[in-house]
Amino acid sequence: MIEENLIQVKKSIPNNVHLIAVSKTKPISLIREAYNTGHLDFGENKVQELVNKQAELPKNIRWHMIGHLQSNKVKYIAPFIHMIHGVESFKLLKEINKQGKKHNRVIKCLLQFHIAQETTKFGLSYQDAIAILEDKLYPELQNISICGVMGMATFSNDESLVLKEFDSLKEIFTKLVAHSSITNDFKIISMGMSNDYELAIQKGSNMVRIGSKIFGARIN
Ligand SMILES: *Cc1c(COP(=O)(O)O)cnc(C)c1O
């Protein structure tokens, strides 16, 4: 069943769009099923769950931390995490750098922007991001790499609202590309989930994070 779902989802996205299979709350057995089809990118949003799953599953899986990450928990995922999607403060970025250094790794990060109407969704403003990039300590962060942006649209049936929000993230990406602190690694626009990824792709997403459409609805 997982295999069929993955095939369906992959058929519905262009080749240049990277698929993250969001496996949060789902058991190891289902992740293994997806892995056995050749899929390697999985997303989780809780540190403890991520650490437990990573320990049990093949080591060539690329784990993406897609949830809100507290600075004091970075140390648990720093040894193996492939990409952290939710960077939303300089404090967190500095901690990721510190832990990356300990493990002699450069950790890929995305800056998360607040693009939705809901105030509950986390994220930076464009000005916040500029402040990070222009902080005098920023050039010292040699163990992080800012690879792009991430955002979540309002959970809504109002397509024009969702499109507008995705468009605003694309616009932020385009403005940041030109910034002198931004490197050639800055390529990713992570936006789009099961219910809105087609709209996100219309607006330039090249990384979608899809859970329920692959693994089935979550109970919690
Ligand atoms: C849960 C989650 C997803 C996937 O959601 P679905 O609606 O199941 O596709 C994507 N991104 C983030 C940040 C999430 O927390």
Side-chain angles (χ1 to χ4, degrees), residues 87-201:
V87 174
E88 48 167 9
S89 73
F90 194 46
K91 177 178 176 232
L92 178 58
L93 195 63
K94 283 187 285 190
E95 180 61 19
I96 296 169
N97 184 72
K98 182 177 154 193
Q99 298 299 330
K101 197 170 195 164
K102 262 191 204 162
H103 296 280
N104 199 21
R105 305 183 65 214
V106 175
I107 298 179
K108 293 177 168 50
C109 295
L110 303 180
L111 297 175
Q112 181 172 355
F113 288 88
H114 181 87
I115 56 169
Q117 285 189 330
E118 293 118 298
T119 49
T120 50
K121 287 189 174 144
F122 293 101
L124 301 162
S125 68
Y126 175 71
Q127 283 313 321
D128 296 333
I130 294 296
I132 290 175
L133 296 174
E134 296 182 356
D135 193 289
K136 66 181 190 311
L137 292 175
Y138 182 78
E140 292 174 20
L141 306 184
Q142 296 295 315
N143 293 80
I144 53 102
S145 170
I146 304 283
C147 296
V149 300
M150 182 268 207
M152 279 194 275
T154 304
F155 189 80
S156 164
N157 290 324
D158 181 351
E159 284 201 2
S160 67
L161 173 68
V162 172
L163 283 167
K164 201 177 86 195
E165 291 173 356
F166 285 144
D167 207 35
S168 72
L169 187 59
K170 174 67 195 282
E171 205 171 290
I172 287 169
F173 175 85
T174 306
K175 282 198 277 181
L176 289 178
V177 166
H179 194 278
S180 60
S181 293
I182 287 296
T183 70
N184 291 334
D185 295 339
F186 194 79
K187 292 187 177 120
I188 295 173
I189 303 177
S190 168
M191 61 183 185
M193 318 188 357
S194 292
N195 63 313
D196 59 14
Y197 71 93
E198 274 139 337
L199 302 178
I201 290 168

Side-chain angles (χ1 to χ4, degrees), residues 36-65:
N36 287 341
T37 73
H39 195 78
L40 293 179
D41 288 275
F42 293 89
E44 291 283 338
N45 72 339
K46 296 222 160 61
V47 168
Q48 191 60 54
E49 187 177 345
L50 176 52
V51 167
N52 292 345
K53 286 175 171 173
Q54 192 272 340
E56 300 240 352
L57 283 156
K59 296 301 169 264
N60 65 337
I61 287 182
R62 296 187 288 254
W63 291 103
H64 296 252
M65 176 62 195

Side-chain angles (χ1 to χ4, degrees), residues 22 24 45 66-67 150 152 192-195 209-213 218:
V22 176
K24 63 188 188 196
N45 72 339
I66 62 170
M150 182 268 207
M152 279 194 275
M193 318 188 357
S194 292
N195 63 313
R209 309 174 310 269
I210 298 184
S212 42
K213 219 174 155 154
R218 288 177 302 274

